[in-house]
Each structure stands twice: as C-alpha cells, then as structure tokens.
Amino acid sequence: MNSWYPLLAVLAASLVCAYLRTGLRTWTFAGFAALFGAAWLAGASWPAIAITTAVFGALTLPLNLPDFRRRKITAPLLTMYQKITPQISDTERTALEAGTVGFEGELFSGKPNWKKLLGEPAAQLSVEEQAFLDGPCEEVCHMANEWQITHELADLTPEIWEFIKKKKFFGMIIPKEYGGLEFSALAQSAVLQKLMGVSGSLSSTVGVPNSLGPGELLLHYGTKEQRDYYLPRLADGREVPCFALTGPTAGSDATSIPDYGIVCKGEWQGGNVLGVRLTFDKRYITLAPVATLIGLAFQMHDPDHLLGDKEHIGITLALIPRDTKGLEIGRRHFPLNAAFQNGPVRGNDIFVPLSQLIGGEAMAGQGWRMLVECLSVGRAITLPSNASGGVRMGAIATGAYARMRKQFGMAIGRFEGIEEALARIGGYTYAITALSRATASAVDRGEKPAVTSAIAKYHCTELAREVAKDIMDVHGGKAVQLGPNNYAGRGWQTAPIAITVEGANIMTRSLMIFGQGAIRCHPHVLKEMQAAQIPDYATRLRAFDRELFAHIGFAFSNAARSFVLGLVNARIGAAPGDKYTRRFYRKLNRYAANLALVADTSMLLLGGKLKFKEKISARLGDVLSNLYIASAMLKRYEDQGRPIADQPLLAWAFHDCAFRMQTALDGVLRNFPIRPAAWLLRALVFPIGRREAPPSDRLGRRVAAILCAPGEARDRLAEWAYLTPSANNPVGRMNALLPDVIAAEPVERKFAKAQKSGAIKSLDAAAQLAEAEQIGAITAEERKLLERVRAATMEFIDVDDFDPAELPAAMPRAKPGLRSVA
Ligand SMILES: Cc1cc2nc3c(=O)[nH]c(=O)nc-3n(C[C@H](O)[C@H](O)[C@H](O)COP(=O)(O)OP(=O)(O)OC[C@H]3O[C@@H](n4cnc5c(N)ncnc54)[C@H](O)[C@@H]3O)c2cc1C
C-alpha cells in the first residue's frame, strides 16, 4: 500500500468538511471513513488499518470528549488567553459594545447567508413622506439660490430659515406626539439628498438638528420634563440646536476634552439650586452662531462630594440655553466658503442647574456612552445622504454637459479620456447611492449600525470627493469660474468638510472600521472576550471552550474556502442572483472567506499590536467595506427588479470593488510583519495569483453612455434629485434640454457635411443656417431646432463675469477680535 493514500484521504475529507463547515463530530466520522476506506481500497493489511485508525482516533477522540477537552486543552489556553489579551479601556469597551450588527456580521462570517440580505423588504417612502418631498422640499429647493447663499449673504435667506422651521425640516426625527414629522431614515435621506442637489449649505443646516445633537439625545435619555418642554420647540424650530464636543485640543480624540463643570450651588431663575459651573472652549460647532439651545459635552467633577463619593464623575452632557449669562456665542468660522452656520462657543464659569443635564442627575457621567450609542444612527444618514445628493446631481449635470459641449467638432463625452471620467462618475454614483440607501434601511430596521455607518461615512465621502474631482475636470474652465451659473465649484470646494466631520476619514479608515468591525462582526471574538470575563470558573470554562472550538473550526473552514474558491477563481459554490449576478455573489463568497481568514490570523499573531498597525487594519477595513458596498449594490439591483439597463453601472462598480479588495488583501500580505505567515496566507488567498482587473474600457464606455442620454438607468440614478428646470437650477434646465440636444445631433452632422463641401459661404453662424436651409441641406424645421438648441446650449457654456465692485462678499465686516456676548 502507498502509505500516503490514507493521509491524503483524511486531508481530502477534512478539506471537504471544512469547506462545507460541518461540525467536529462529522469531521471525525468523515476522517475515520476516509482513512478506513482509502486503506482498504489500497489493499492494506488489517493490522496496518488498525494502527492508522488508532492513531487517528488518539488524535481526534479527545477533542470529542467535552470534559476531557475542557480540562486538558481549554483550561491552559484560557489562562494564556487571559494573560495576552490586551486590557480594554472603558472608553473602548463603550465604543465596542455600542450599536448592533446586521448583514456585515454575515460578511465577516466568511460564508454569507445571502437569503438574510435579499429577504429584507425593500425600503420605501410612505405616501406622507413622498408628499413632503414633492411639496415643502421641492418648494424650498425652488427658493434656494446657492450663489446668493454662499457669496452674497453667507447665510440662508430669512425666507428659507422661516420656511424650514415652519415646515418642520428640523423635526424629521422627532415623533409626532411631540409635534415632529417622525420620518423614516430613508425619508430623511431622501430629503437631504434633494436639498444637497441645490445647496450644500441648506442640506447641512437641515442635517445637523436631525443628526446627533439635543433632539436625538433627548429622545433617548431626556427626562420627561425635558422631552415635553424641548422636543415640541425643536420640532417647529422655536429652538435651533447645536452640539458642542470638539475643542482646540480635543478633535478626533474627543474623550480628551479639557472642558469641565464643577458641581456647586448657584443662582438659576431666581432660586439657589444645585448645578454645575462650566468652563469650556469649543470650536467648529455647526449652527452654533444661530443656535438657541447648545448641547455641551464636558468632564464633570464633584470635589465637594455634593452628589456622592465620586470626585471625577466623567463626561456629561448638558443643555445650555443661549441666553445663559456669560455664554460667548455668535462668532462664525467660514468653512471653505460654505455658508452653513459654524462657529465657536465658549463659557467661563457659567452656571446651569442639574436639571439642564441631559437625562438629569441620573445620567451624569454617562455622556460618552450616550454619544457613542447615538452616533451611529446620524452618521448612517447625514453625510452619506449629502454625498448621494451631490453625486446624483453631479452625474446628471456632467453627462448632459459632456453631450452638449463640443470641441474638435465632437461632443466631449465621446472622447475616451472624458469617457473614463464619466465612467468613474457613473460607477461611483451607483455605489455611493446604494451604500447610503443600505445604511438608512438598516436604521429603519431598528439597527444602530456602528460599523456600517463608519463604512458609509468614509466611503460615501471619499468616493464623492473622487466624483467631485472628475466633475470639475470634465467641465474644465466652466466649473472653475464661480458665479450663479456654476453648479460644480462649491461641491469641489467643500468636499473636504465631509471628509473631516463625524470622524475624520483617515482615522475612521485606520482605526475604526476594522478595529470595531473585527470585534463586533466576528462571530466569536467578542463572545470569547465576554466568556473569559465570566466570574464563575466552571461557567467561564464551558463558555470559553464552546467559543474557542467553534472559532478553530471557523478558521479552518475559512482557510479551506479561501483556497478552494481561489483555486477555481470563485467559479463554484451556491449563490443567489440571476445569470448576470451569480458570479458576483460567488466572488463575494470568496473575498468574505479571505477576509475572515486574514483577519483571524492577524488578530491571532499580532494581538494587541494590531491596534497600532493602522496600515494593516485600514486595508482589512477596505476589504470589509468593499464587501459591504458590493452587497448593498446587489441588494439594490434585486430590489429594483433586476433592471437590465442598470447592469453596466452595477458591473463597473462591482469590478471596481473586487479590484479594491484584491489590492487591499495584497497590501496586507506584502506588509504583514511575520513573513512565514504571510507566505502561507498568500498561498491560501491567491493560489493562482491575482486575477481581478479594474473595470474594462468597454464597460466604462457603456456607463458613460448612460450618463449622456436620457434613459431609465439615468433616471434611477437621479432619484430624488431636484431637476425642475427653474431659474435657480441650471442643472434642471440643462437636463430638460438634453433630448433636444440629441435630436439636433444628426442635423448638426448634415449641416457640417454641407459646410465641408464648400456649399455654405457665410461666416456668420445664423446666416450659415439660413444658407443651409436654402440649399436644402437641412429643412426649415431642422433649422429651427438647431437655432433653438444652439442658443440654449450657449446658456450652459457661458460663465459668469462681474463688475469688480460686485465681487467682495456682501457680508458686513466685523471688527477683528470682537466677540458677541449673549
Ligand atoms: C465644518 C465642520 C463642522 C463641524 N461641526 C461640529 C459640530 O457641530 N460639533 C462638534 O462637536 N464638532 C464639529 N466638528 C468637529 C469635527 O468633528 C472635528 O473636526 C473632527 O473630529 C476632527 O478633529 P480635528 O479637526 O481637530 O482634527 P484632528 O483630530 O487634529 O485630526 C487631524 C488628522 O489626524 C487624523 N487622526 C487623528 N487621530 C488618528 C488616529 N488615531 N489614527 C490615524 N489618523 C488619526 C485625522 O483623521 C485627521 O486627518 C466640525 C468640524 C468642521 C470642520
């Protein structure tokens, strides 16, 4: 007998069991059967069969005897685990335990259950929400003139302020019982997207009160008195809120805020009550200059033990009315020419009673937990929606412009260089809008998507910045010259704001996405940590044993699945979808297994050091993010009834995601500090090399074509965009002209032919058309069409020019250094 046969048979059986994720017992039986069968078929003698089977049994049976396994294997491993696992600070624990895990958990499992994703009902707007979008939202878009807002007033007009308060735009998250609109997350997203299409300043102004701030915090933690008093006032705009966390020395590291409040007695509304004396210096606070209610985060101290034993109570949140004595408020920052209100807030020794703490005295010291618990919901909606609204409008505008702007005798959209940029605009718009819809839908399902809100915030804003760059490049000088006709320049100018706020992007990518995702989404890591902390030893050992062995099986399975799916380039395996998309799901199965394998190995071998290996962590986060983005796009494609017209957009964006995942995994393996482990991982992850390629030029051409002509895929891309051809909306007007521009193209060709033949002698453009009609090159109808289209097109090719006196901003100049004091 060839002595290798039984071993090979056991290995083959193990590979199949690991691929299929069978349990330990099934694997043991399969191993026995394979061993026995191979030895028997190879003609081994009975003593030889007995010896090999006994060896196999000696190795595997102890694993199947729970008591023995726990005492002899798990107990020492638990001791070791407790020694090497890094201590998690309270702050980190709060962040890790906040929020819920949705489909991202499936992606981290290495074997996603697609039924779970595809079985979720498609999110839809209610009749009331749609009516709001078509009514007040459309109306305010009609009122907004971005040039007037950003350049002339550096503010929304008084009419717009009045209108958005009256129509309760600030109360979208507030329940109806308090007079709010109580909109779904999807509806909030749709409103912000629509507003963003006309004015970033308007959408930011509306976004902030509906995101993390007094409204959200009061809803979750406010006392009854606070909710009853403030929520109706916030809903109808009597109160304009802001939330002040950031200060000069505490930006990304928000828990390091030096701002403090000392518990003491003080004067409040004529009485002497217990409260806090606050000293703080906050900056960058959106809406602060006009806010009437300031949410404030500070460190609370009780040196005189007026509340209890604790001296340092911790981060606490308070509500400071604008007219509080000593509050310094009203000055403005000027964030990259955007006109939404943003500025500093300061206070020196100002007093508020304990009843102004959000949640009252009971919630003192709970501020960080409150913020982290609420952060994910706002982060899942506001910035992803703004990014979506911006790129939707940009895609429509750029496609139309590329069709009407001609150079070298051709529409610029036909040049391959422009096609490349248009393909990125179309593909990323598809990805951003799918991602933003996915996180809003998760919120509507009751999730607090801690990990995916970070993914959405990072990737929507990063990709939107890419789109903004391409929009600028396609428009050339037209987008550079600011003025009422420039619909692109402000988007480009302000793109870095979205990158910076709600978790600056570099930190979000390097520290948060994978850092949180690895622990929150991993099927075993958090459970192992929790098991290791159970006080009772027997229970601890049992729980840890269960998780540990499930984890080991999980790791083997991911290794097997990575290798097998890599070997066949993800061409096999059960997957949902249609003929067009099945291959995409299979690729995601492969990359999910890769992520789970590489993440597990990184955590095992780098342990606590992984936290500081930000470049490794960031790349693993990229794999998780792109898995999620691709899943969101496939879900959208399914929800919209698998529209064939959208396939180029889906395919372009999908291949881009797949290529990014491959690049990220390759980057991890190239830079993994323990080289032998990296070599082994490479053999498992890329057994036949890197086969992913970026989207092809042909596919890019099809995407570009979608943007440049009216059609159902383009219409879906423009969902919720404000495309009414009103005076304040050049994009709407340009879009309305597009069918005529296309109808005029064959006429232009006929005219050009006549001109080339020398039959047209005039130099004047209008006279040339008349001549073309006279010689029968074009009909009278066609001449009219050309005249109309040429004249209308010029409106969009023209840029603004100004009398020099018009250019200085109309804002009255404040004296340097003057601060208004309420
Ligand atoms: C227009 C605007 C509006 C804002 N609105 C508000 C508001 O309403 N309320 C409020 O409280 N705050 C607000 N902010 C503050 C915003 O949340 C902070 O700007 C943000 O938290 C980053 O802080 P920072 O600007 O001080 O940058 P820093 O923290 O100094 O960061 C600088 C760079 O270092 C990176 N970095 C930091 N730590 C790490 C790390 N561990 N690993 C890798 N990279 C890291 C960051 O990603 C960033 O790129 C606003 C800011 C702006 C610009």
Side-chain angles (χ1 to χ4, degrees):
M1 171 187 87
N2 187 331
S3 56
W4 288 104
Y5 287 171
L7 188 63
L8 288 177
V10 172
L11 281 178
S14 302
L15 192 66
V16 172
C17 287
Y19 182 87
L20 295 175
R21 254 179 214 190
T22 64
L24 181 62
R25 233 167 257 168
T26 313
W27 169 70
T28 312
F29 281 128
F32 268 121
L35 183 74
F36 186 82
W40 185 67
L41 284 175
S45 63
W46 285 111
I49 294 178
I51 292 170
T52 36
T53 318
V55 172
F56 185 73
L59 291 173
T60 55
L61 286 181
L63 301 176
N64 287 280
L65 302 172
D67 266 355
F68 179 84
R69 183 176 85 185
R70 271 184 225 128
R71 270 185 291 115
K72 297 292 174 194
I73 304 173
T74 310
L77 287 176
L78 174 59
T79 312
M80 203 161 83
Y81 178 87
Q82 285 172 318
K83 271 196 200 133
I84 61 168
T85 310
Q87 284 300 311
I88 300 180
S89 67
D90 284 349
T91 309
E92 281 170 320
R93 188 185 310 281
T94 306
L96 285 175
E97 288 175 0
T100 55
V101 177
F103 188 68
E104 61 281 17
E106 289 295 322
L107 296 172
F108 226 99
S109 76
K111 194 170 178 263
N113 177 358
W114 295 107
K115 277 192 197 139
K116 213 167 155 183
L117 177 76
L118 301 177
E120 296 291 355
Q124 273 181 342
L125 299 182
S126 69
V127 173
E128 188 190 352
E129 291 166 344
Q130 186 63 51
F132 187 84
L133 215 58
D134 298 338
C137 201
E138 176 84 10
E139 213 177 317
V140 76
C141 286
H142 199 75
M143 292 161 76
N145 177 331
E146 183 68 340
W147 178 248
Q148 184 192 32
I149 291 170
T150 57
H151 181 74
E152 292 170 8
L153 302 178
D155 195 2
L156 304 177
T157 60
E159 295 74 31
I160 293 180
W161 273 111
E162 170 85 30
F163 186 83
I164 55 180
K165 286 178 186 177
K166 200 169 105 199
K167 297 292 176 184
K168 302 190 174 174
F169 277 80
F170 289 170
M172 288 196 284
I173 58 168
I174 296 180
K176 287 193 172 138
E177 60 171 306
Y178 296 107
L181 294 174
E182 199 175 342
F183 275 177
S184 64
L186 188 72
Q188 292 169 46
S189 175
V191 169
L192 294 178
Q193 292 193 36
K194 187 155 184 162
L195 301 183
M196 180 69 193
V198 278
S199 167
S201 297
L202 177 58
S203 68
S204 300
T205 303
V206 170
V208 166
N210 289 295
S211 189
L212 179 60
E216 175 87 358
L217 291 163
L218 284 170
L219 273 171
H220 287 94
Y221 309 103
T223 60
K224 184 170 180 328
E225 295 74 42
Q226 288 172 341
R227 287 205 303 266
D228 288 347
Y229 179 73
Y230 281 120
L231 290 177
R233 298 172 65 82
L234 286 165
D236 62 18
R238 269 174 289 162
E239 300 282 2
V240 176
C242 70
F243 190 79
L245 174 65
T246 306
T249 57
S252 301
D253 181 11
T255 50
S256 68
I257 44 172
D259 316 283
Y260 60 89
I262 309 282
V263 181
C264 62
K265 285 213 154 193
E267 287 291 311
W268 184 260
Q269 292 172 351
N272 193 259
V273 293
L274 202 55
V276 272
R277 199 160 280 288
L278 293 158
T279 296
F280 55 90
D281 182 3
K282 303 289 192 183
R283 64 176 184 179
Y284 304 164
I285 310 307
T286 302
L287 293 190
V290 293
T292 58
L293 186 66
I294 295 91
L296 180 81
F298 64 97
Q299 297 280 359
M300 187 156 148
H301 298 267
D302 183 15
D304 299 329
H305 298 283
L306 296 173
L307 296 179
D309 297 339
K310 241 176 158 183
E311 265 189 31
H312 178 208
I313 293 175
I315 294 182
T316 302
L317 311 180
L319 293 172
I320 318 288
R322 189 184 178 94
D323 57 8
T324 304
K325 207 166 145 217
L327 188 69
E328 289 184 43
I329 194 164
R331 285 186 65 78
R332 289 182 66 175
H333 299 305
F334 198 19
L336 292 170
N337 267 35
F340 63 88
Q341 299 277 338
N342 183 269
V345 195
R346 301 181 181 94
N348 192 6
D349 226 15
I350 71 172
F351 182 81
V352 291
L354 291 184
S355 59
Q356 289 300 119
L357 302 186
I358 300 181
E361 189 188 327
M363 295 309 279
Q366 301 295 312
W368 188 243
R369 185 172 67 77
M370 292 154 75
L371 288 177
V372 171
E373 279 175 2
C374 289
L375 174 74
S376 59
V377 171
R379 194 173 54 186
I381 302 169
T382 316
L383 289 166
S385 307
N386 280 355
S388 294
V391 296
R392 280 188 202 280
M393 202 71 169
I396 295 304
T398 312
Y401 184 78
R403 188 87 189 222
M404 49 186 79
R405 172 68 172 163
K406 294 189 174 60
Q407 288 294 285
F408 303 99
M410 272 213 305
I412 57 168
R414 293 198 188 282
F415 295 120
E416 289 208 351
I418 294 290
E419 228 173 57
E420 236 182 349
L422 288 173
R424 280 193 296 270
I425 295 173
Y428 290 153
T429 300
Y430 193 80
I432 292 167
T433 48
L435 178 55
S436 144
R437 178 181 269 269
T439 50
S441 306
V443 172
D444 282 335
R445 286 195 298 272
E447 288 180 34
K448 286 187 172 177
V451 177
T452 52
S453 66
I455 292 176
K457 190 274 157 173
Y458 177 87
H459 288 275
C460 285
T461 57
E462 282 294 332
L463 292 179
R465 177 158 66 172
E466 289 292 304
V467 172
K469 179 179 79 87
D470 280 322
I471 292 173
M472 291 299 289
D473 292 354
V474 172
H475 283 82
K478 158 90 183 157
V480 171
Q481 302 300 351
L482 288 174
N485 281 313
N486 185 336
Y487 44 80
R490 291 293 192 224
W492 164 248
Q493 232 177 346
T494 54
I497 297 177
I499 302 291
T500 304
V501 299
E502 291 195 18
N505 274 11
I506 294 180
M507 186 193 64
T508 301
R509 174 172 177 258
S510 318
L511 203 68
M512 289 166 66
I513 295 178
F514 182 74
Q516 261 190 355
I519 297 181
R520 284 315 311 263
C521 304
H522 194 290
H524 305 293
V525 166
L526 187 60
K527 288 185 191 150
E528 279 164 354
M529 288 165 113
Q530 286 163 342
Q533 286 173 357
I534 296 174
D536 174 58
Y537 182 72
T539 320
R540 185 188 326 152
L541 189 61
R542 206 169 306 124
F544 189 74
D545 175 81
R546 194 176 48 242
E547 287 310 322
L548 179 70
F549 277 85
H551 193 162
I552 293 170
F554 170 77
F556 275 115
S557 167
N558 289 322
R561 292 180 66 79
S562 283
F563 182 69
V564 172
L565 293 174
L567 209 58
V568 297
N569 202 14
R571 286 208 179 82
I572 60 163
D578 56 14
K579 235 170 99 189
Y580 192 75
T581 53
R582 199 158 299 128
R583 65 203 160 119
F584 296 158
Y585 288 99
R586 286 188 173 138
K587 271 186 197 288
L588 296 186
N589 284 340
R590 175 198 176 173
Y591 286 111
N594 291 165
L595 170 67
L597 171 69
V598 180
D600 250 345
T601 315
S602 306
M603 286 190 275
L604 179 71
L605 299 182
L606 301 178
K609 281 193 211 133
L610 185 55
K611 194 167 143 184
F612 304 102
K613 291 260 167 231
E614 286 194 345
K615 287 179 252 179
I616 300 275
S617 175
R619 292 182 182 112
L620 289 171
D622 289 347
V623 183
L624 175 62
S625 300
N626 281 289
L627 277 169
Y628 188 75
I629 296 170
S631 311
M633 295 190 304
L634 287 165
K635 167 77 172 146
R636 166 201 184 139
Y637 175 76
E638 290 293 331
D639 284 350
Q640 292 182 332
R642 300 179 176 174
I644 291 171
D646 287 10
Q647 285 177 352
L649 292 164
L650 170 66
W652 193 100
F654 185 90
H655 288 303
D656 182 71
C657 280
F659 188 68
R660 282 171 191 259
M661 286 191 270
Q662 175 181 275
T663 308
L665 282 165
D666 183 49
V668 174
L669 301 180
R670 259 177 215 287
N671 295 285
F672 199 76
I674 303 167
R675 297 311 299 152
W679 298 328
L680 177 64
L681 283 174
R682 186 171 287 281
L684 291 170
V685 169
F686 297 126
I688 55 167
R690 284 165 290 143
R691 307 296 288 257
E692 233 47 88
S696 70
D697 291 352
R698 222 171 115 237
L699 192 52
R701 166 164 296 181
R702 292 170 66 202
V703 172
I706 288 175
L707 296 197
C708 294
E712 52 161 319
R714 189 172 183 273
D715 288 348
R716 268 189 293 274
L717 221 49
E719 190 181 23
W720 301 323
Y722 175 66
L723 288 177
T724 309
S726 53
N728 65 332
N729 189 15
V731 178
R733 295 199 308 277
M734 195 161 68
N735 190 53
L737 183 68
L738 187 58
D740 280 354
V741 170
I742 294 171
E745 282 172 355
V747 188
E748 281 285 9
R749 279 197 292 276
K750 280 199 236 170
F751 171 77
K753 202 168 152 199
Q755 205 177 26
K756 212 167 166 194
S757 71
I760 297 173
K761 307 284 182 219
S762 312
L763 294 177
D764 176 71
Q768 284 175 345
L769 286 186
E771 235 182 305
E773 188 192 334
Q774 271 163 19
I775 61 168
I778 55 173
T779 64
E781 282 284 284
E782 288 172 336
R783 177 184 158 189
K784 266 194 214 140
L785 175 68
L786 273 196
E787 278 170 349
R788 185 158 49 81
V789 169
R790 281 184 181 187
T793 308
M794 270 322 286
E795 188 200 332
F796 304 112
I797 288 168
D798 278 345
V799 298
D800 300 288
D801 46 47
F802 302 90
D803 183 307
E806 284 178 78
L807 274 180
M811 199 165 60
R813 296 191 186 281
K815 284 185 199 149
L818 187 77
R819 272 179 205 162
S820 58
V821 177

